[in-house]
Every structure is written in structure tokens, then in C-alpha cells.
Amino acid sequence: MRVPWTWLKEYVDLDWTVEETCERLTHAGVKVENLVYEKLDLSGVVSALVEDVSTHPARPDLKVGTVNTGEGRYTVVSGAPGFEKGNLVLLAVPSSRLPGGITIETRSVAGVESQGMVVCSNEILAGEEPRPGEDIILLPPGTPLGIPAQELFTLDDWVIELDLTVNFSHCLSIMGVAIEASALSGKPLKLPEVYRNWDWAGPYGSRRPADDPDVEGEWKVELPDPDLCPRYVGKVVREVRTAYAPIEVERRLMLAGMRPISAIVDATNYVMLECGQPLHAFDADRLEGKTIWARRARQGETIETLDGEERRLEEGMLVIADARGPVAVAGVMGGSRTEVSAGTRNVLLESAFFAPIPTRQTYRKLRLRTEASARFEKTVDPTAQPVAIERAAELIAKYTGGVPERGRTDANLMEPLKRSIPFSMRVVKRTLGAPIPIEKCKEIFESLHFAVGPVKKEGDFETMDVTVPPRRVDIKEEIDLCEEVARIYGYDKFEAKPLTPAVPGGPPNKEYVWFEKMKDFLVSMGGREVVTTSLLSPDDLLAMGWDESDGRSKGVPLMDPLSSSESVLRTSLLPGLLKVVQRNQSVRMPGGFFWETGRVFFPSREELPLEAVQLGLCMYGTLRESTWVEGEAEATFFRLKGVVETLLRLMGIEASFLPGASMPMHPGISARVVAGHSTVGEVGELHPLVKKNLGLIGNCVLAWFSVEAILAMAKEKRFTPVSKFMPVERDIAVVVDASVPADSVVKVVKETARDLRSVTVFDVYDKPPVPEGKKSIALRLTYNPSDRTLTEEELSEDRERIVKALREAVGGEIRL
Amino acid sequence: MEKLGERALKEIEEATSLAALEEVRLKYLGKKGEVTGLLKTIGSLPKEERPAFGAKVNALREAIEGHLKEKTAFLERKALEERVKRETVDVTLPGNVPQVGSLHPLTKALREIVQIFYGMGFTVYESREAETDEMNFVKLNLAPGHPSRDAQETLYLTETTLLRTHTSPGQIRGMLDMKGKLPVRFIVPGRVYRRDQMDASHSPVFHQVEGLVIDRHITFEHLKGCFLEFARGFFGPETKIRLRPSYFPFTEPSAEIDVSCTICKGKGCPVCGRTGWLELSGAGMVHPNVIRNGGYDPDEVTGFAFGFGLDRAAMLKWGIDDLRVLFENDLRFLRQFEGI
Ligand SMILES: [Zn+2]
């Protein structure tokens, strides 16, 4: 909504500056988005007297005149009917500027030098040629000479651009904003006479004045679909002539963001901007019959709208129709067949109430959002139809000399309104907290033209009935009235109070604490947290190589995605992490270690998809390039496995690694991580095929975990006393078949050895002298019982036990 | 014997290296050394002289040993000092750098936010991202056809399910989980979705933090106090807030909360559009219908709620001017958050 400052001031005599007004409005919820000064690119156009006129010697359709600006006399050629001796006109003197970058210079017109140009509105406002039937501007007698057009008319003005929330539809009109400004400033509202007579601003809405003639209009109106159109007011204006609205009216429309068209159309738009009720004008002589229907469109009906588009109407859309068919898409746009044009003699005005939701559905389907539909979709004042049509008829009569019919057609199936709401001071105390007295509330309501009933005492609180004007469709219950009090009172006047009583806050559960700890562990091991989108392309999932039976192969689809690249929900964090690798390889980052936590989604039998929280890890390339002091650190399976092992250890989770994980991992260089008898995650090298398909280069390893599973198992470690004795280390190298997992060798040692504190694999070797098909695993055993230092005898006994067990369990031979 | 003693001490005195000193030791105290030799002669002495002779030789040996020890310590210290004098490294060469990871700025920002709210008695409630139309809209006073539904361009999964457009359905789910207990004080951080194209300030996927307080005697003044404490905690103690009337169907009265510009401290700069204020949060007193939908009696309790963009909060805090960088995960960006 654009509000020209001068127009607003016409309805409320503010003594605030425009900036101050913007500030006040914003702080009352009428949000000002922008304040702009709109200046016409116009200079050198001044008032002047036509002193003398003669017919052009070569062109009998043109006249040559002497025009006096008070500072000089100019010879001017013009064909305009108003270019007559004694008329006061506007002259664009040589070198003057008109909008659109036009400069007026002396030029020869059929052999006569014309020093400048007498101008019409279209030239001043748009820098364009006169429109059909448009005459030059004639100034009232007594206008002094040599006065610039900008001083004679309000052409340059501040425009307040509002960004209104949907509940503020009552501010989709200049008068609506004026009521707000009046309430905030205490300055009285000054509305045009018609609106005052009908009590437009009042608490009960517009009401017929006592002197309104009780005469039915010429046209009949039928409302077969009152759910879509419960009220339709029509009024004929006869004997109109082609004309244009006064320049200041046209300029106001432009400042408010609309294009001036003709006096009749401009009058309807002007009234809409003024009071918020959209209107439409039909060429009455092009309507078939004398009955108007506001009805649902029938199958196969079409209409050519004013913009020249042929539109197919859907069954159920509300149309305005005459005996022949649709003449307008109700509340959206009129049709070409009955368009008001230069030859129009009689006009039928429409002022209706169209239901908000159907209007919105219609304009969305037709992709045709107009100023009218923007108002209907937010509900217009259901009482304003007659006053708006009277105002429009008055303006059309003024601009075109037309004669409005007495009375009007008012088809009204609207349910009676009940707008009285009980208001208790209890709600102020409970909700707002501030000590606002009842007198202040009353004053606020009355400033907004609400009616306030007598104050009663109910229990501990005073109450009163408040009657809200029907244009305030946003106010439905007591709490809405409470908001009115708060916003006019001023949000800045409320104190900031701390929350009482003080209660302990903190994490909701142990899982939440572990989740945050887990992130810290990952950071401490060099991992970089990333955040990727949950919306993927089906191709992203396809690229992972999951077959149909894998639940991850098909994501939950979006019904109406923005694009196919964001059309399914992720089923895994791995595609997103691999995109992070792609991104960083594309900017030549040599390597990285990324991780992410987030939700993944799977189709389910329930109404909503299944959501699970995952942890994804990914390493690629060279994590640290070699330095003068250290070798490089590469992203390898065992580096990532080490991170995973450490993470699980820090979280107190015992896990084992079983060979072979699923796609997109290399089947031979990957492992399932099993803890508490179930698979909690996987770790492995990226499958070379997937790597190739994604265009990735170099080494890349991945892992994922079910966060819910590992958080549920996470536990604080128990303290164990440290032995007072020195630990003893012994090494054993055992040769086994290459296929024997190291883990099973370690397991045998752990199960057999006594007083063992730890066993680690410190070397694996499969070259000669180790026989073909075998490998040697070197283990370091650390003994450290709490009560003694082991003797050599005990150690060798233990070694014998281990050797025997290894031979029996895994066929291991000791290598010396 | 005395001469031998003097000679030995003199030789110790003159020794200039640990090797020379060792020679001296061997010469006198070694297996074939002179003092050792003297002891061996003890057998040839008359019995009554033996003790006195033995004591003398032992005294001599002890004296030599003492001097040797002293001189050894002296020479060792000297050698060490000389070595230290010789040893030097180029300290300007880089050290062995341990690999440091980093948290994403969104996590960092959220942790700070969470800590501030813990201090005010809040806990964290986590709510699902795929929601029903009912939870995301209807229970929040956004019945079908409500004009505010258009403003929130929604990504639907089916006719009745969608990706939550705000964290506000967490208000309802959280209240229902509280089963009528008071006070209700929690924040709902999480991912939300809109049908928006990605640009510098929009993303189809972004993050919000919702807050909800329900109790007896909660007023608009508590909303102001609570948010002020948060804003000061997060943006700095000199931060100011400003509430403007606004509209959300699930709060009444509703407010837009601005914080004083973190860049110019309220003086006016391009970031704040020269107003000195930054729009941060929507808020308001919880609408009675919403309280009812959460299983509480609006005649008994009142409450306030607020919601703001986590991404925006993080961007303002660290002066990030383009939303897209948060989701690009460029290493050169991520590295900057080491240790912050
Ligand atoms: Zn600023």
C-alpha cells in the first residue's frame, strides 16, 4: 500500500512531520517499509495567458497564438480546442523538460515557429501525447502568470510505502490509515461529505442517511450464490462524456501506484484507494438485458479480460454475468466486452462484497492478482458498498458531467453483523501486565471509532461492551481488543520484567548432553562440522548404488518441489557429505575431514514419515600436507576407523567391526560397527564406482552412525584404581592365515592371558620370510596387576598358555 | 704416601676433561692403581701397624675419591654448558601442528543461545521436521484459507503432511508432552522449510529457535524482559531491544522484536538500512486457542512465545552477509570457526 502524504493529510490534519508520522505508524503496527519522495521530472512549465489567436496560415486545423507568461511573450502553435484567446493555460517554454527525458524546443510547425507548447495532463505527468479527446489544461480565472505547474498543483509528494500484515486490511485505504493516524495523534478525522453522511468510520459501519431516497435502481441483481457474493450494489450514471480526471487526481493515482486511464475508471480506483472498497464500471449499453447475475461460472465458459487475455473459467469461479454470459471475473478483473471506452455514454457501477477465500482461489488459478482482488481476499467492510458507489457516482458526475440515477440497486443477503464484544480489565491485567486504567482503554477504543458501553463491575474487574466497526474484520474476540489497547498505548511503554520464579533450566536428558559431547569429541579429533540441505534429487540417492531393497534408495518425495534437484528428503547424510567433498575439490582444497548430524527420513505406514538422527563422517584427500618436520596425513580407512574407535571409546561404548559394509562403501574395505548386538553404523572406503560417478578424485572414506543408537548406549566410564606396581610389556608375533581377522587373534589373547591390562596390534607383515598366504601379527601385551609385579615364571607360563590357545583357536604359530 | 696424595690431587686439579679424569682415577684407584697397590702391601706389615696403615690408605682413597667426584661434577656441568651454548634451532620455523576441527557457526550460535536460556530456567524441546498440516497450521490458528498461509510458502509431502514452515508446531507438541505441568519454559531449535529459491537471504532450508513460556501470571512485560536478557547475552550487554506491533495468528498481542544493530551499535549503517535496528524475532502472548490446543486452560494460565532465525542470528553475530555460505561448507569458511 502506497500512501501519498498530501492525500493522507487531507483526512487528518497532522502536525507531525512525514518522518515522525512513519515512526508513529510503524510503532502502532502499521508498518512503514519505505518513505520516498516522488518528484516529477518537470521544469519550465508555467501558467500563461493566451492573449491572441489566429488560424495557422497553412493549416486551418491549427491555431497560432501569442502566449504571455508574465516574463515574456511566446508565439505558439496548437490545435487544442481550449487554445482560445483569454484562456489561462500551462506553457512549456523553450528548453523546458517533461517526464521521460523530453525537452521542448522551438520548432517549425508547417512553416510557423512555435516557441514552446501548451500542455495537457498526459504531457505533464507522463511526457506522452494527449489521449483521445484530451484537451490542454485550463487554469481558473485569476491564476497569476509565470507560476510553475508544481506550485499550482500537488505533483511532487512524499509517499509512505506500507508493508501490512494480513490482519491490517483496514489500512488498505488512505482513510483507514487516516483513522490510525488520528487515533495516535488525537487529531480529528476529516472525511469527504458523503462518507460523513453515511457514517463510514462509525462503530456500526456505513448506514443510510435519513435523506437517502428510497428508490430502486434500474438494473436488477440476482445473487444465486450468496456464499460467494452475498451483496451486490449497482448504480447507473447516465450521459457521461469522455473525459479525464483532474491532473491532481491522476497524479494521486500514480503516486498510489495506479495508472490513470479515464475519468470513469479513475473515479472507481480513487474511491477504492480512498475507502478500500473495490468498484467496477461497465459500459451499460454493452450489457445484454437489465439483469446482473453474480453466479458460479459454468462449464466451458470463457471471458476476454481487460488485459486482452482470453481466459478459460473453471466451474465454480464466481463471475458477473449478463443475459449473454460472463462480463467480469468477480473481484479480479472486468471483461473487454463491457469495457468503458471513449464512446461510453452510460455506466453501470458495481460495488460488491466477494468472499475472500474464493476470490483468492480464483486469482491464483488465473494468475491475476489485482488491487481489487488484494482487498477482497482480505475481506472488505461488508457495509461500505453503498457509500462507495455513491462516492464514485459523485466523482464521475463531477469529472464527466454524467447524471447518476436516484437511489441504487442493493441486493443484500448478508447475515446481520454482531460486533459487540465484552471487554474485561482482567485481560489487560493478565496479558499485558502494565497498569493501564479503564479510562485509557476507553479513550483508545473511542479514538479508533469503536463504541464503548457502560462500565460494569464483574467480580474483581470492570467490564464494558465494545462495538467494533465492521471494517475491522480482524477483531473477533476480547484478546483482539486487548491488542488494540497495547498497540495504541505503545509497546515501548511496557516494562521489561524478569521471569519469576527462578527455576533451574538445563538439558532435557542425558542423550542431549552426550550429543553435544559427541560433537566436541569430533572437533577434538580434527573433524569439521558441516550443515547440508535435507532436500536432495532422486539422482543423488541413485548415485549411492543402493538397490531397490535398500530403504535408503527412495526418499520421501515432495508433492510440489521447487526443482527436481530438491524433490526428495534425504535418507542418509552421505550424499550431502560427498557433495561437500565435490565442492571443496572444485575449489582445489587438497583434503578435509567433515562430519554432520541431522535428520534423515524414511517412508512409513504412519501418516508422517519416520525421522531418525544420523551422524555422518567423511574424509578425503590429504588432511595435512607434509611439513618440514612431519609427513603428510592421508584420509585412509584406518585413519577414519581410528576416529570412530576413539569416539566410541570416549562415549563408553564397546563395539566390534565386522567385515563388509553396504553401499556406497567398498565391500572389501569397510566394516559394520556392531554394538549391543546390533549394527549401529558403518565405516569404509568410498566404492570406486560411486567415486567415479560423482567425479571425485583421490581417496575418500566414509562412516555413518545412528545417533539415537549410540546416544542410548553412551555411558560415563567408572574409575578404576591405578596399580602401584610397574607394568610389564611382552611382545608376541603370531603367524596366521591371511584370512584370519586380527580381531579374533586379539580376542584369543584377551581371553587367555591373566592379569593383562591391554593388548595392541603394533605390526602386521605378510612379506618373506612370512610364507605365502600367511601374515604375521605382532602384539604387545601389557601386564599390570594391582597387587604385584609379575615374575618371569608367571610371564612365561602365561606366554605358553597364549601360544597354545592361539594354535588351537586360530592355527597361529609363534614367530620368533 | 703423602707425596702420592699430593700428586694425585694435583693431577685431578690439572685434568681438563672427563676422559683425563678417568685416567687419573684408574691410575690411583683402579685395580692396578697406586692406592690399590698400597693396600695390597698391607699384608707385609707387622700386625700392630696394619690398622693404622689401613686407616691412612683409606683416608687417602676417600680424599682422592672426593676430589674426583667434585671435579667430575664440575667438568660435567662445564660440558653441558658448552653444549647448550652450541645448540640452537630456528624458532621461527613452524611447529608440529595438531589437527584442529571446528563446529559449524550454527551449532556455535545455538550453544550460546541454549546456555543463555538454561540460565533463565528453560530446557530444550526437540520436535519433528515432517509435520501434519494440523500441527503446523490448524492448531496454531491457521485454518485452511487463512491468508497467512500464503505468506509461508509451504513444501507439502501429501495433502495433509508437510515440512514444517516454522518451529511453532513444537509449541503444541512440547505443551502436550508437559501434560499440564507448570511452569512451561522451553526452546525448540530446529530446521524449517519454505518454498523459496536460494539467494543471499533466502533458503528452502533454514533454522529457527522457538521459545515458549506458560505459567500463571505471565504477561507481555515478561516477554520483554526475557528477550532483553537473551539479546544482551547473545549480542553483548549494551544491546537494546524494541518491540513493534505485528501479526501472527498464534499470538495476541503480537510483536516484531528488533535489536540494536550489532554492526553500528545503533548509529545507522548499511546492514541495518541506516535505522540502527535489525529485525530479529516474531513474538507475542500465546493465543488462548493455542494454549487450549496444548492442553492448558487459558483462563488459568497465560504465556508468551517467540521465534527467530538461527541463521540470521549467527550471521549478525559474525558479520556473515550471505546466507548461502552457511550451506556451502567451503573449508576456507569452516576453518575460520576453529576455536571461536
Ligand atoms: Zn547498523
Side-chain angles (χ1 to χ4, degrees):
Chain A
M1 178 76 196
R2 290 168 57 94
V3 179
W5 175 234
T6 315
W7 199 352
L8 177 66
K9 292 247 288 184
E10 199 171 291
Y11 304 138
V12 53
D13 195 8
L14 297 168
D15 53 11
W16 292 333
T17 63
V18 64
E19 289 86 359
E20 198 175 358
T21 306
C22 289
E23 186 77 15
R24 300 289 182 125
L25 286 172
T26 295
H27 284 273
V30 187
K31 192 184 172 195
V32 176
E33 176 86 281
N34 219 347
L35 175 65
V36 284
Y37 191 71
E38 295 282 3
K39 197 171 172 354
L40 270 186
D41 183 13
L42 183 73
S43 71
V45 178
V46 296
S47 55
L49 177 68
V50 185
E51 287 185 332
D52 153 56
V53 171
S54 59
T55 307
H56 191 289
R59 292 269 304 273
D61 56 324
L62 297 179
K63 283 168 272 187
V64 181
T66 306
V67 183
N68 184 1
T69 65
E71 281 170 16
R73 288 190 165 76
Y74 298 84
T75 302
V76 178
V77 178
S78 172
F83 191 55
E84 295 295 345
K85 180 177 173 175
N87 276 355
L88 284 158
V89 298
L90 280 172
L91 178 69
V93 301
S95 301
S96 61
R97 290 246 310 263
L98 298 181
I102 295 162
T103 311
I104 302 301
E105 299 295 355
T106 300
R107 65 191 178 109
S108 170
V109 182
V112 177
E113 287 275 289
S114 184
Q115 298 166 311
M117 189 167 86
V118 285
V119 293
C120 68
S121 295
N122 213 32
E123 285 159 331
I124 293 180
L125 298 177
E128 288 169 7
E129 296 281 298
R131 293 161 289 188
E134 186 176 9
D135 197 1
I136 55 170
I137 291 169
L138 297 178
L139 301 171
T143 308
L145 301 186
I147 310 294
Q150 292 96 321
E151 289 177 30
L152 294 168
F153 305 109
T154 306
L155 301 177
D156 299 339
D157 201 0
W158 287 102
V159 175
I160 301 168
E161 292 180 359
L162 301 178
D163 175 22
L164 296 172
T165 50
V166 295
N167 60 325
F168 266 62
S169 60
H170 59 278
C171 285
L172 285 171
S173 68
I174 313 285
M175 297 198 312
V177 178
I179 290 176
E180 293 291 321
S182 159
L184 293 167
S185 64
K187 299 285 175 191
L189 200 60
K190 301 184 304 174
L191 301 184
E193 198 189 343
V194 188
Y195 294 108
R196 286 204 309 276
N197 290 345
W198 284 74
D199 196 18
W200 174 83
Y204 305 97
S206 308
R207 292 184 294 187
R208 282 177 70 185
D211 61 351
D212 185 49
D214 207 1
V215 178
E216 271 292 301
E218 185 185 352
W219 251 262
K220 294 281 158 289
V221 171
E222 297 289 341
L223 304 179
D225 294 304
D227 55 327
L228 302 189
C229 175
R231 189 171 198 184
Y232 194 104
V233 179
K235 187 176 178 91
V236 180
V237 184
R238 300 192 181 91
E239 301 301 318
V240 299
R241 62 176 167 77
T242 304
Y244 296 95
I247 184 167
E248 281 188 306
V249 170
E250 292 196 328
R251 181 60 182 156
R252 275 188 177 178
L253 292 174
M254 287 168 70
L255 291 169
M258 297 193 82
R259 205 164 57 86
I261 293 165
S262 68
I264 295 163
V265 176
D266 290 358
T268 61
N269 285 335
Y270 191 87
V271 173
M272 174 179 70
L273 293 169
E274 193 173 55
C275 75
Q277 169 64 42
L279 298 153
H280 185 64
F282 297 101
D283 184 328
D285 300 324
R286 291 159 83 175
L287 284 167
E288 198 110 326
K290 297 272 179 182
T291 305
I292 288 288
W293 283 270
R295 60 159 171 86
R296 284 184 158 84
R298 292 168 189 151
Q299 202 180 357
E301 280 186 323
T302 58
I303 185 173
E304 188 193 312
T305 42
L306 287 177
D307 54 5
E309 292 268 334
E310 181 76 18
R311 294 174 191 273
R312 176 164 298 280
L313 296 166
E314 263 179 52
E315 237 177 316
M317 284 180 174
L318 185 70
V319 295
I320 307 306
D322 63 4
R324 212 170 115 195
V327 291
V329 183
V332 180
M333 195 178 264
S336 307
R337 170 157 69 87
T338 53
E339 184 180 2
V340 169
S341 61
T344 300
R345 302 288 300 151
N346 299 296
V347 170
L348 174 67
L349 290 172
E350 160 196 298
S351 179
F353 181 98
F354 298 125
I357 296 172
T359 306
R360 183 176 328 129
Q361 286 165 345
T362 300
Y363 86 68
R364 288 195 142 195
K365 280 182 192 150
L366 297 176
R367 297 176 193 282
L368 194 62
R369 195 163 192 265
T370 57
E371 291 279 346
S373 63
R375 286 169 174 80
F376 283 122
E377 71 157 324
K378 297 200 174 90
T379 314
V380 296
D381 177 350
T383 67
Q385 288 71 34
V387 63
I389 214 164
E390 288 303 324
R391 172 69 167 161
E394 177 192 76
L395 293 179
I396 292 170
K398 195 167 143 195
Y399 303 156
T400 70
V403 183
E405 68 175 336
R406 281 194 84 217
R408 69 201 78 80
T409 309
D410 188 347
N412 189 354
L413 299 175
M414 195 82 80
E415 309 244 330
L417 295 162
K418 192 193 154 287
R419 305 291 298 179
S420 177
I421 303 166
F423 181 80
S424 164
M425 291 306 287
R426 179 169 184 258
V427 72
V428 173
K429 183 168 184 279
R430 291 181 76 220
T431 310
L432 303 182
I436 305 173
I438 190 162
E439 295 74 28
K440 183 70 193 169
C441 296
K442 215 172 157 211
E443 184 192 314
I444 288 170
F445 291 141
E446 281 169 350
S447 74
L448 292 164
H449 300 261
F450 299 2
V452 180
V455 175
K456 294 167 287 185
K457 189 93 176 169
E458 234 167 63
D460 294 339
F461 296 95
E462 289 165 307
T463 64
M464 53 194 174
D465 283 343
V466 180
T467 304
V468 180
R471 64 189 153 74
R472 292 302 306 271
V473 291
D474 57 317
I475 297 175
K476 298 184 186 76
E477 48 193 324
E478 188 182 35
I479 194 74
D480 302 322
L481 288 171
C482 183
E483 181 172 62
E484 292 301 293
V485 170
R487 74 178 180 93
I488 302 293
Y489 178 74
Y491 280 12
D492 51 340
K493 294 203 187 82
F494 288 89
E495 265 181 67
K497 277 192 183 149
L499 275 179
T500 49
V503 297
N509 49 38
K510 117 181 192 312
E511 283 78 10
Y512 190 90
V513 178
W514 273 110
F515 190 42
E516 295 306 306
K517 274 193 186 180
M518 183 186 86
K519 295 176 190 174
D520 289 335
F521 295 152
L522 289 165
V523 170
S524 72
M525 290 186 279
R528 297 193 185 279
E529 189 189 13
V530 296
V531 171
T532 70
T533 178
S534 333
L535 304 175
L536 297 177
S537 143
D539 290 345
D540 294 330
L541 301 179
L542 203 64
M544 295 300 110
W546 293 312
D547 62 40
E548 294 251 331
S549 66
D550 194 313
R552 294 170 293 181
S553 64
K554 276 191 199 66
V556 177
L558 269 56
M559 219 167 64
D560 185 19
L562 276 165
S563 69
S564 72
S565 66
E566 297 177 325
S567 63
V568 295
L569 289 172
R570 63 183 176 192
T571 54
S572 161
L573 298 182
L574 299 181
L577 285 167
L578 289 169
K579 284 186 181 193
V580 175
V581 175
Q582 276 177 330
R583 152 87 197 182
N584 281 288
Q585 286 196 341
S586 76
V587 293
R588 296 172 190 243
M589 294 291 116
F593 169 16
F594 308 108
W595 58 272
E596 180 178 20
T597 61
R599 282 169 192 257
V600 295
F601 305 81
F602 302 99
S604 86
R605 287 176 202 282
E606 309 290 314
E607 185 182 19
L608 289 169
L610 193 77
E611 289 181 23
V613 184
Q614 257 194 12
L615 163 67
L617 302 104
C618 177
M619 278 181 184
Y620 84 96
T622 305
L623 300 177
R624 191 201 55 231
E625 309 210 280
S626 65
T627 67
W628 73 281
V629 65
E630 273 177 298
E632 61 192 6
E634 289 288 334
T636 62
F637 171 76
F638 288 104
R639 188 177 294 276
L640 185 58
K641 184 177 182 243
V643 168
V644 164
E645 285 168 332
T646 308
L647 178 70
L648 295 171
R649 181 173 60 80
L650 295 177
M651 297 178 75
I653 299 169
E654 275 181 45
S656 48
F657 292 76
L658 303 184
S662 63
M663 289 299 276
M665 294 177 189
H666 188 306
I669 314 176
S670 63
R672 280 191 301 129
V673 185
V674 176
H677 306 294
S678 60
T679 300
V680 296
E682 292 180 321
V683 55
E685 204 168 281
L686 180 61
H687 196 291
L689 203 63
V690 179
K691 184 154 73 179
K692 186 163 168 275
N693 289 342
L694 295 177
L696 297 175
I697 45 167
N699 40 338
C700 183
V701 284
L702 303 161
W704 66 263
F705 284 90
S706 159
V707 168
E708 279 114 345
I710 57 174
L711 293 186
M713 277 185 264
K715 58 181 182 292
E716 294 288 346
K717 277 177 299 239
R718 294 284 292 273
F719 164 79
T720 51
V722 173
S723 173
K724 290 183 180 62
F725 301 88
M726 296 273 278
V728 184
E729 283 176 357
R730 284 293 180 274
D731 293 350
I732 290 183
V734 55
V735 176
V736 290
D737 279 348
S739 62
V740 173
D743 197 30
S744 56
V745 175
V746 170
K747 215 168 140 196
V748 169
V749 173
K750 276 187 178 166
E751 281 165 3
T752 320
R754 293 182 188 159
D755 297 315
L756 189 69
R757 194 183 67 193
S758 70
V759 54
T760 54
V761 176
F762 73 90
D763 193 25
V764 179
Y765 193 70
D766 61 357
K767 307 260 161 14
V770 178
E772 184 80 24
K774 299 264 182 186
K775 65 182 171 190
S776 161
I777 299 173
L779 304 168
R780 175 152 303 154
L781 284 60
T782 308
Y783 295 89
N784 198 188
S786 57
D787 56 348
R788 66 194 193 286
T789 303
L790 291 183
T791 62
E792 278 305 324
E793 289 75 43
E794 285 175 302
L795 286 167
S796 37
E797 271 172 34
D798 203 56
R799 185 184 164 88
E800 272 162 37
R801 259 198 308 276
I802 292 167
V803 170
K804 186 161 169 274
L806 282 173
R807 190 175 298 130
E808 284 164 8
V810 293
E813 287 301 330
I814 299 306
R815 192 172 132 234
L816 297 168
Chain B
M1 198 188 292
E2 263 150 43
K3 278 231 174 93
L4 180 109
E6 270 168 37
R7 186 153 47 83
L9 294 185
K10 189 162 177 273
E11 281 174 33
I12 288 169
E13 194 65 32
E14 283 166 0
T16 55
S17 72
L18 286 166
L21 206 61
E22 179 64 7
E23 267 174 43
V24 176
R25 191 185 69 81
L26 288 172
K27 185 174 169 191
Y28 294 97
L29 303 182
K31 274 187 183 156
K32 290 173 183 163
E34 292 182 32
V35 177
T36 319
L38 276 178
L39 270 178
K40 282 179 187 160
T41 64
I42 198 161
S44 61
L45 289 177
K47 225 177 179 172
E48 57 279 15
E49 286 179 25
R50 282 183 197 171
F53 181 78
K56 258 178 135 179
V57 176
N58 268 334
L60 178 64
R61 202 185 66 185
E62 274 167 24
I64 294 171
E65 273 176 351
H67 277 83
L68 273 172
K69 206 174 161 190
E70 224 169 80
K71 182 75 182 188
T72 306
F74 171 77
L75 285 175
E76 274 175 356
R77 201 173 65 238
K78 213 173 129 204
L80 201 69
E81 276 167 5
E82 273 165 15
R83 205 180 88 210
V84 168
K85 259 184 217 162
R86 271 197 322 275
E87 280 174 348
T88 169
V89 296
D90 178 356
V91 296
T92 64
L93 280 169
N96 300 25
V97 179
Q99 298 201 45
V100 182
S102 50
L103 282 175
H104 193 276
L106 290 178
T107 300
K108 285 179 181 293
L110 181 59
R111 281 188 173 186
E112 285 192 28
I113 291 163
V114 163
Q115 283 306 322
I116 297 165
F117 282 106
Y118 282 170
M120 285 190 272
F122 284 70
T123 186
V124 174
Y125 182 79
E126 291 186 302
S127 189
R128 52 180 312 133
E129 291 173 19
E131 265 298 359
T132 58
D133 183 282
E134 180 81 10
M135 278 287 174
N136 193 75
F137 290 128
V138 180
K139 290 246 191 284
L140 296 164
N141 269 351
L142 282 146
H146 194 289
S148 284
R149 279 193 173 206
D150 299 341
Q152 299 186 335
E153 289 279 332
T154 308
L155 287 167
Y156 276 91
L157 298 173
T158 65
E159 295 290 340
T160 57
T161 62
L162 45 79
L163 293 171
R164 65 175 173 190
T165 57
H166 47 188
T167 40
S168 309
Q171 288 187 25
I172 305 285
R173 288 191 184 274
M175 272 192 276
L176 291 173
D177 276 8
M178 291 284 291
K179 295 181 169 46
K181 280 197 295 274
L182 290 174
V184 175
R185 278 185 213 174
F186 60 73
I187 58 171
V188 188
R191 180 167 280 200
V192 298
Y193 301 79
R194 298 275 169 93
R195 214 167 171 284
D196 270 331
Q197 297 281 359
M198 190 88 175
D199 65 26
S201 53
H202 296 87
S203 165
V205 169
F206 60 106
H207 305 82
Q208 283 185 343
V209 179
E210 189 89 7
L212 179 73
V213 172
I214 302 281
D215 203 354
R216 294 188 181 88
H217 317 302
I218 293 293
T219 70
F220 195 73
E221 298 189 315
H222 294 113
L223 163 62
K224 219 172 170 179
C226 175
F227 205 87
L228 181 64
E229 186 164 337
F230 156 66
R232 287 184 174 163
F234 188 70
F235 293 112
E238 70 286 3
T239 307
K240 290 193 251 316
I241 64 166
R242 175 175 93 167
L243 277 69
R244 286 182 286 108
S246 188
Y247 175 71
F248 307 101
F250 37 99
T251 51
E252 186 98 42
S254 300
E256 198 75 52
I257 306 182
D258 300 338
V259 295
S260 52
C261 180
T262 51
I263 311 293
C264 64
K265 309 288 172 215
K267 287 185 203 77
C269 71
V271 173
C272 56
R274 315 212 171 272
T275 60
W277 295 97
L278 297 163
E279 278 182 37
L280 184 67
S281 179
M285 298 306 292
V286 183
H287 196 282
N289 293 348
V290 176
I291 293 182
R292 213 172 282 123
N293 291 339
Y296 288 79
D297 179 1
D299 205 45
E300 204 176 292
V301 295
T302 50
F304 66 79
F306 56 83
F308 59 87
L310 175 62
D311 316 75
R312 179 162 165 80
M315 286 166 77
L316 292 174
K317 191 173 178 77
W318 287 294
I320 300 164
D321 59 359
D322 191 326
L323 180 61
R324 283 169 291 203
V325 302
L326 293 177
F327 302 102
E328 274 169 3
N329 302 300
D330 191 304
L331 273 166
R332 294 165 292 178
F333 173 74
L334 299 173
R335 267 186 209 138
Q336 298 179 43
F337 292 90
E338 284 173 5
I340 286 182

